[in-house]
Amino acid sequence: MSAVIGAFAALVAVAVLGYVVGLFGVLRSQDELVLSRLAFFVATPALLFTTVARADLRSIFSAVLVTNLVSLFVVQATFLLVAGFLWRRTRSQATIGVLASSYVNAGNLGVPVAAYVLGNGALVAPIVLFQVLVMAPIAFAVLDGDRLGSGRRVDLKTVLTRPFRNPLTVASLLGLLVSLLGVRLPDPLMRPIDLLAAAAVPVALIAYGLSLSAGTKASITLRRDVILAVSLKTFAQPLIAYTIARWLLDLHGPALLAPTLLAALPTAQNVYVYAVHYRASRTLARSAVLLSTLLSIPVMILIAGLLT
């Protein structure tokens, strides 16, 4: 338990550093975008590639993926039932709400948590792949086809090719290919990739802390859609994942901690980007990202303390 809490303390310390440098103006709010892009397009893909390429595939496609999928479908169905059928939200509003309640921050925060706390960054790879290859294209198809969204027709080619323009997806798939083929890449090739991979965790955490320093009360609302999405994401999803892992799969120890902890990750910032792009439920997306991010660290620390 002390090792896990110590790992979380290190993560929190770096995130707090990002918050402090943002608070004192050492880094500006616009620098968060630069750091996030550096982590997203360069460092995190390198980390995912190296960890997946060297990982045992059985450890990647394991209980983490099963529990994530089950918990994800349950919270999505719950949000759709409440917001879509009871509150009569539009398709675009319901779609953004579904993403806000289930689309986890697997890149900027999930990789550091998996790599540093769980000791295996590859555990987050199947979550990244599912979200980018399945969830996002389906959401884009709905939003593209909704007159209240972008008002454009669905372009099947765009929907099918969009995931492969995501560097995290490409890096994970390349890592899977290397692992499946059993290829050992030469050290001169891997050393620069490993060097870039080492920057993923600190850069992502500083960007994460910096984003919190820019948050204001004006950035959020506590409307019922937001409360529902944040409650499902922050509390219901990890609880469902724990229930599946513990009582249906009979997992214990680290095998139980991993799926529960990763299910507690906050809403991904991508959801707000999608909401802005499609002009749908921007306040909901922004509020869900900020509130779930603020709540996720204490929730994950509590989970780690209880399950180790």
Side-chain angles (χ1 to χ4, degrees), residues 3 27 29 52 55 90 109 130 141 176 219 226 256 286-287 292 294:
L27 292 176
S29 58
V52 174
T90 66
L109 192 58
F130 179 79
L176 281 173
S219 300
V226 174
L256 177 60
R286 181 176 60 241
S287 301
S292 65
L294 291 172

Side-chain angles (χ1 to χ4, degrees), residues 1-2 4-5 8 117-118 257 260-261 297-308:
M1 176 176 176
S2 60
V4 173
I5 298 299
F8 256 118
V117 177
L118 300 174
L257 174 62
T260 308
L261 198 61
I297 292 297
V299 168
M300 287 191 288
I301 291 176
L302 177 62
I303 290 172
L306 292 175
L307 298 184
T308 52

Side-chain angles (χ1 to χ4, degrees), residues 152-239:
R152 298 176 299 174
R153 292 179 177 273
V154 177
D155 185 346
L156 183 60
K157 181 180 178 180
T158 300
V159 171
L160 293 178
T161 60
R162 190 193 299 263
F164 300 100
R165 296 195 293 271
N166 185 308
L168 302 184
T169 308
V170 174
S172 298
L173 291 175
L174 289 175
L176 281 173
L177 179 63
V178 170
S179 183
L180 284 171
L181 295 177
V183 177
R184 176 180 171 81
L185 298 177
D187 288 341
L189 175 63
M190 292 301 293
R191 282 173 186 157
I193 300 177
D194 287 331
L195 191 60
L196 289 172
V201 173
V203 170
L205 289 173
I206 290 176
Y208 175 81
L210 187 58
S211 69
L212 295 181
S213 70
T216 64
K217 292 182 179 180
S219 300
I220 64 173
T221 180
L222 294 178
R223 295 174 183 172
R224 57 185 181 178
D225 299 71
V226 174
I227 294 174
L228 176 61
V230 173
S231 299
L232 288 172
K233 176 75 243 23
T234 308
F235 305 112
Q237 194 166 359
L239 181 60

Side-chain angles (χ1 to χ4, degrees), residues 59-106:
S59 69
I60 299 177
F61 297 100
S62 59
V64 171
L65 181 59
V66 175
T67 55
N68 180 264
L69 292 181
V70 173
S71 61
L72 179 146
F73 290 141
V74 171
V75 298
Q76 288 184 341
T78 302
F79 190 93
L80 277 178
L81 178 64
V82 177
F85 292 97
L86 297 182
W87 296 344
R88 302 294 182 181
R89 299 296 185 254
T90 66
R91 286 195 304 170
S92 291
Q93 292 170 340
T95 300
I96 295 298
V98 163
L99 292 177
S101 64
S102 60
Y103 199 106
V104 303
N105 191 339

